[in-house]
Amino acid sequence: MFEKISFIKPDIPFDKNKFYAPMFRKKFVLSGTIKTAELSICGFGYSYIWLNGKKITPDLFIAPVGNYSKTLWYNTYDVTNLLNKGENILAIICGCGWYNEGIESAWDFDKAKWRDNPKFIMQLDADGNTVVKSDNSWKYNINSPITYNQLRCGEHFDSRLYDEKWTKQNFDDSAWRQAEEDSTPPKGVFRLCECEPIRECKVFPAKTMYQTGDNKYIFDIGQNISGYIRLHTNQNSGDKLTIRYAEEVNSDYSLQLNDMETYYPTTPFQTDEFICCGKAFTWSPIFAYHGFRYIEISGIKNPSLNDVSGVFVHQDVKPRTGFECSDIRINMLFKAGQMSTLSNMFYMPTDCPTREKLGWANDAQASVQQMLLNFETEHVFEKWLTDIYDAMREDGALPGIIPTAGWGYHWGNGPVSDGVLFEIPYRLYLHTGNKNPLTDSIPYFERYLDYLDAQSDKDGSIAFGLDDWAAPDSDDKVNSVFINALLKIKFIRILLLARELNGMNTDAIKQKEKDAIEWVKSKYLLNGICSINKQTAVAMLIYFDIYDDFEALKMQLKELVEKQNFHHDCGMVGLRYLYRALSKCGLQEYAYKIISAEGFPSYIDWLDNGATTLYERWNMTESKNHHMYSHFMAWLMTDIAGIQPDNINGYIYVKPYFVKELGYVRGYYDTKYGRVTVEWKRENGVVNLCVEVLQNVNVIYNGKRLRTGKNSFIIKEQI
């Protein structure tokens, strides 16, 4: 793709303090009728495309972010029905995105070596021939109505400069200049992005409005989301509206930013600006998005609720599950988990849509299983796995954020983060049966394990990277040495599986696993008990089957949970393993009590304080839209609804656990062959179980394979 074609950009010097959104136009003539036509484009940072005045796609933020020095993601669209016989016009606008981030922050994207003015490369093929390409015959205008754009801070739009005809043939572009072909050839490899696009997926109208000053109002949309405003305005030409976004407000309805402005000391945080043109106008930013529930607008006159909505923007992945039960709080919690997951789908699993929007690897390792079970995210993770490969250094080191412009190799990484390299292909294999991500990753697995060995001290301990991050009281519950040792065993086992699937010799890997297990046992097990008397440590040993006396460890974990009055006492690493370890011990009741616990620290404490998404901290500071504690969603589906997919062998196992606290549970899981629904109710002292299977799905219940066919069937039992 794009052979002998160049990126084009404005013919002006690059100024690291200027953040343009240049507009480009190209007229061309087609002499005959076209049967098929495709337009392929790679925009740095993002681009939008019109053909004969019509937007070619509802996709947003084209093209996907990556390491611009290694992989150049592009998109292809069918534009057959948009072409005219005779004259046609292509119009493209480009914004800065991650490619030209100039704001000062802790993560150094402003220091990226690839920074330049926004640009794009494209070709339009009609009936197998390239009829238009990016070259210096295009015209551009640097003075677009978007006078400033930074993905993580905001967009400024001057509607007085906007001419709706600019995408059409009858627009006068005689004053526009010729574009410049980029003389520096791209360093990366072009790859077609096959993951779901980013779209406007839902609109939340403002529910309430509060005046907080002269021409200053707060609008509450009632739900924390990722996205931006949909503004309807009709004010005097030159009136400036300043639009700020926040997840919370104070008691006086001023915005509560939880010190997030400190991350961007020289740039207004989550702030858009709109200059009115004296007539009715509807506007949303196109090169920035935010995380918010509340929108503050200064300069707006006599507004109504109908003037403002919040647009929920995220990667358009489909949910494949649903869960509800007799406890309305758990239903609210599951929805909050769904909203946090979707809010953080932007070509990668981001940490939050507010201050960072970064692909934090530790957050992702905690959530991959949940995300693949509950959402159709296979393509997202396949795409991001390539970004992970790109991020690996020659010595095997990985950064804490992916993609990165260079930051994250010295903090925020370690096995707690780097494990996404192993977790993603492993979970993709379990959820799709496709072994290729695993086997393709073998050289990266081996390079990383060599790197890990190189970080070992003389006694074999590995002490770098994150520990049991974000525990309730920020105490170091379990140090990185223990966690890294357990995760190293996990990594070895995944490499072992990959080599077996690839028909390779595994003797050396099996010995490596044995040695790693013996090291952990000798250091941390005494008379069957874990020497680190913490939930995380005991749960991880049970989860990974590293013990001499299972009953002793089970009793130790049981007592640790009871000691905390059925609350978790662990960070993001431990919490994911805690639920699973308790189920393995037959203590599902304990796991459910932790999920449904009240008071600090608990999910319900968040809900009682108004949460509509999951938080970053149990004390409710910092981000209010994180997904890293979302594993409970997978546990509710597999252990309480009891829907356990085995996509390697093509079965759905039904194994619900009837916790005493619930009187009703209903969950469903969509496969490519149809839907499986499990519902159970407590009535008159018994549990009535109903399993409904649609179409040709293989279900195993009570050790028996249920006969399937094209029609649905229902199995009912009393237990």
Side-chain angles (χ1 to χ4, degrees), residues 290-560:
H290 312 284
F292 66 99
R293 171 176 171 172
Y294 299 93
I295 304 171
E296 176 193 84
I297 306 180
S298 302
I300 192 168
K301 299 173 183 177
N302 303 314
S304 72
L305 283 176
N306 294 330
D307 293 336
V308 173
S309 297
V311 184
F312 191 20
V313 175
H314 57 81
Q315 212 149 2
D316 195 12
V317 297
K318 295 180 181 178
R320 58 160 53 103
T321 65
F323 180 89
E324 62 178 322
C325 66
S326 53
D327 189 335
I328 190 173
R329 304 170 307 165
I330 301 302
N331 297 338
M332 293 170 61
L333 181 62
F334 196 87
K335 180 184 177 184
Q338 289 176 316
M339 294 298 292
S340 287
T341 300
L342 293 173
S343 294
N344 285 290
M345 280 288 158
F346 274 78
Y347 297 133
M348 55 187 168
T350 63
D351 61 325
C352 61
T354 46
R355 66 168 185 255
E356 294 176 50
K357 302 177 174 66
L358 296 171
W360 273 98
N362 61 312
D363 292 23
Q365 183 173 196
S367 301
V368 171
Q369 184 178 358
Q370 177 274 118
M371 289 178 173
L372 281 167
L373 177 69
N374 290 300
F375 300 88
E376 295 181 4
T377 51
E378 293 88 342
H379 295 313
V380 177
F381 284 116
E382 287 167 356
K383 180 266 177 189
W384 199 47
L385 185 57
T386 297
D387 296 330
I388 294 169
Y389 295 162
D390 287 348
M392 180 176 278
R393 288 183 169 174
E394 287 301 315
D395 65 355
L398 284 167
I401 58 171
I402 301 169
T404 179
W407 185 90
Y409 293 94
H410 303 292
W411 192 90
N413 57 342
V416 169
S417 300
D418 307 341
V420 293
L421 172 67
F422 297 84
E423 184 77 8
I424 289 173
Y426 175 63
R427 293 295 168 185
L428 283 170
Y429 172 63
L430 293 183
H431 281 273
T432 67
N434 179 13
K435 70 177 184 179
N436 291 336
L438 266 177
T439 56
D440 291 347
S441 298
I442 289 173
Y444 298 95
F445 291 165
E446 293 176 340
R447 196 195 314 176
Y448 182 78
L449 285 168
D450 288 344
Y451 166 76
L452 211 53
D453 287 340
Q455 309 308 308
S456 299
D457 293 336
K458 290 182 180 179
D459 67 349
S461 61
I462 304 170
F464 81 107
L466 297 178
D467 51 27
D468 198 12
W469 184 251
D473 52 11
S474 297
D475 184 25
D476 182 9
K477 298 297 179 184
V478 177
N479 63 33
S480 61
V481 174
F482 177 89
I483 292 171
N484 292 349
L486 272 289
L487 292 179
K488 179 181 177 181
I489 293 169
K490 168 185 169 181
F491 303 161
I492 293 169
R493 288 173 175 172
I494 292 173
L495 171 59
L496 181 61
L497 173 62
R499 288 181 68 92
E500 287 174 345
L501 291 171
N502 212 34
M504 301 169 71
N505 184 279
T506 58
D507 292 345
I509 309 302
K510 288 178 179 178
Q511 185 60 48
K512 192 178 185 75
E513 178 194 17
K514 182 179 178 181
D515 293 344
I517 291 172
E518 288 305 314
W519 189 90
V520 168
K521 285 185 175 182
S522 66
K523 190 172 179 67
Y524 296 111
L525 283 175
L526 181 63
N527 298 323
I529 299 296
C530 181
S531 60
I532 301 178
N533 194 34
K534 299 289 186 179
Q535 289 179 2
T536 294
V538 181
M540 290 184 76
L541 288 172
I542 292 172
Y543 182 92
F544 290 114
D545 294 313
I546 300 172
Y547 45 76
D548 295 316
D549 186 342
F550 177 79
E551 288 300 322
L553 274 186
K554 171 183 173 180
M555 186 58 62
Q556 187 178 10
L557 183 60
K558 183 174 182 288
E559 290 174 355
L560 284 169

Side-chain angles (χ1 to χ4, degrees), residues 10 16 71 79 86 97 103-104 133 215 217 252 310 391 402 436 452 521 554 621 658:
K16 66 179 183 178
T71 296
V79 295
I103 56 176
E104 294 181 18
K133 63 181 180 180
N215 299 325
Y217 292 80
D252 62 353
I402 301 169
N436 291 336
L452 211 53
K521 285 185 175 182
K554 171 183 173 180
T621 59
F658 313 116

